[in-house]
Amino acid sequence: AGTLLYYISQRWFYSFNSTVGSSSRRGTSSCGKWWSGLPLCSKRLRFVFVVSLHLTAAVLVRWISHSGCLPCSSARLLPKPSLVAHRGCARMFPENTLGAFREASGFPQIVALETDVQISYDGVPFLLHDPHLVRTSDIATRCPSIDHYRNVTWLNYSSGSCPLREVNVGVMFQEDERVPTLAEFLEIAKQKKLNVIFDISEPPVDHPHHDTYGNKTLEAVVASGIDLRTVCER
């Protein structure tokens, strides 16, 4: 609108200046006369007039947009996209921890929580993405005597010299977060009425639960009481 008014005003002043120039060459002057209803001999007055046109156009466009008369009004906008919390709110909290999932579940756009499930040596489904704990935990200092790069599924969850439940997986954020179980994760999703998406990692072939890790995971899902229609494994 401002550009259109600017173009019209320029054409208007060009025609007016041509008239003034012709009159001056004839020894007459147009100054002081009304042209199209306005005396525009003064350059300052012409400048003020152009600026006024632009300001008027800006005010009109803003008023119309807020009144809902334009197609871009909020009443006609599409709904906001639905989001999936990948490993929870992993940019603000340690990934795949209860803190990350609790934080993510508080956002209204979140419709699903995504995580990664593995099976411990004593048959407990727990949450962890990597095959070992080196990147996300303090296992190097907590359990210095074990092979830190060995597959994490060889560790017990609640017993042994280095139980998974005692490992701190919040060290990257200077937080105290423990390796959560699948059951704890599902409880959050059930309370918040959110969908669940998870990847199941297959344990090594000689693992004691290699043939039953799928059933162990399914048992934990059913035991949680969550609506099975909200659970998706990929």
Side-chain angles (χ1 to χ4, degrees), residues 56-92:
T56 302
V59 171
L60 285 174
V61 169
R62 185 170 179 82
W63 176 78
I64 292 173
S65 63
H66 281 275
S67 66
C69 298
L70 295 180
C72 61
S73 65
S74 59
R76 298 188 181 184
L77 291 177
L78 295 175
K80 294 181 180 180
S82 299
L83 303 178
V84 175
H86 183 250
R87 304 180 198 172
C89 195
R91 294 294 182 182
M92 300 172 62

Side-chain angles (χ1 to χ4, degrees), residues 3-234:
T3 303
L4 179 60
L5 287 175
Y6 177 77
Y7 174 77
I8 294 173
S9 64
Q10 290 300 306
R11 298 294 296 177
W12 192 359
F13 292 135
Y14 174 77
S15 301
F16 171 72
N17 290 331
S18 298
T19 304
V20 172
S22 299
S23 300
S24 299
R25 287 192 294 273
R26 292 196 302 267
T28 61
S29 175
S30 301
C31 294
K33 293 183 178 180
W34 288 85
W35 181 73
S36 297
L38 288 173
L40 298 175
C41 296
S42 169
K43 290 184 178 180
R44 181 176 297 178
L45 184 57
R46 293 200 298 269
F47 173 76
V48 172
F49 182 67
V50 172
V51 172
S52 299
L53 285 176
H54 282 77
L55 290 176
T56 302
V59 171
L60 285 174
V61 169
R62 185 170 179 82
W63 176 78
I64 292 173
S65 63
H66 281 275
S67 66
C69 298
L70 295 180
C72 61
S73 65
S74 59
R76 298 188 181 184
L77 291 177
L78 295 175
K80 294 181 180 180
S82 299
L83 303 178
V84 175
H86 183 250
R87 304 180 198 172
C89 195
R91 294 294 182 182
M92 300 172 62
F93 287 81
E95 65 181 53
N96 280 333
T97 61
L98 297 182
F101 292 117
R102 290 193 185 101
E103 180 69 15
S105 64
F107 291 93
Q109 293 86 6
I110 298 296
V111 298
L113 302 176
E114 188 273 348
T115 189
D116 307 274
V117 179
Q118 303 191 52
I119 191 81
S120 66
Y121 191 79
D122 51 355
V124 178
F126 64 93
L127 309 186
L128 189 71
H129 174 266
D130 296 357
H132 52 71
L133 286 160
V134 175
R135 179 178 66 90
T136 59
S137 79
D138 63 347
I139 193 170
T141 56
R142 184 177 294 273
C143 307
S145 61
I146 69 171
D147 181 3
H148 305 136
Y149 287 93
R150 190 184 186 190
N151 194 290
V152 68
T153 58
W154 289 106
L155 296 176
N156 289 317
Y157 186 80
S158 56
S159 63
S161 59
C162 187
L164 284 170
R165 70 177 181 182
E166 294 184 6
V167 176
N168 182 9
V169 288
V171 293
M172 295 178 65
F173 289 79
Q174 297 182 345
E175 298 283 347
D176 186 12
E177 290 279 357
R178 304 300 159 177
V179 178
T181 64
L182 176 59
E184 292 172 327
F185 164 74
L186 293 172
E187 184 61 28
I188 295 176
K190 183 176 69 172
Q191 290 178 359
K192 298 296 184 178
K193 295 181 172 55
L194 294 173
N195 297 302
V196 170
I197 304 172
F198 56 81
D199 294 322
I200 305 179
S201 296
E202 181 180 357
V205 177
D206 52 346
H207 193 276
H209 298 286
H210 176 267
D211 297 330
T212 59
Y213 73 96
N215 291 336
K216 292 282 186 180
T217 303
L218 181 59
E219 289 173 2
V221 172
V222 174
S224 70
I226 194 172
D227 186 349
L228 297 181
R229 293 173 297 181
T230 65
V231 180
C232 175
E233 185 277 327
R234 57 176 187 170

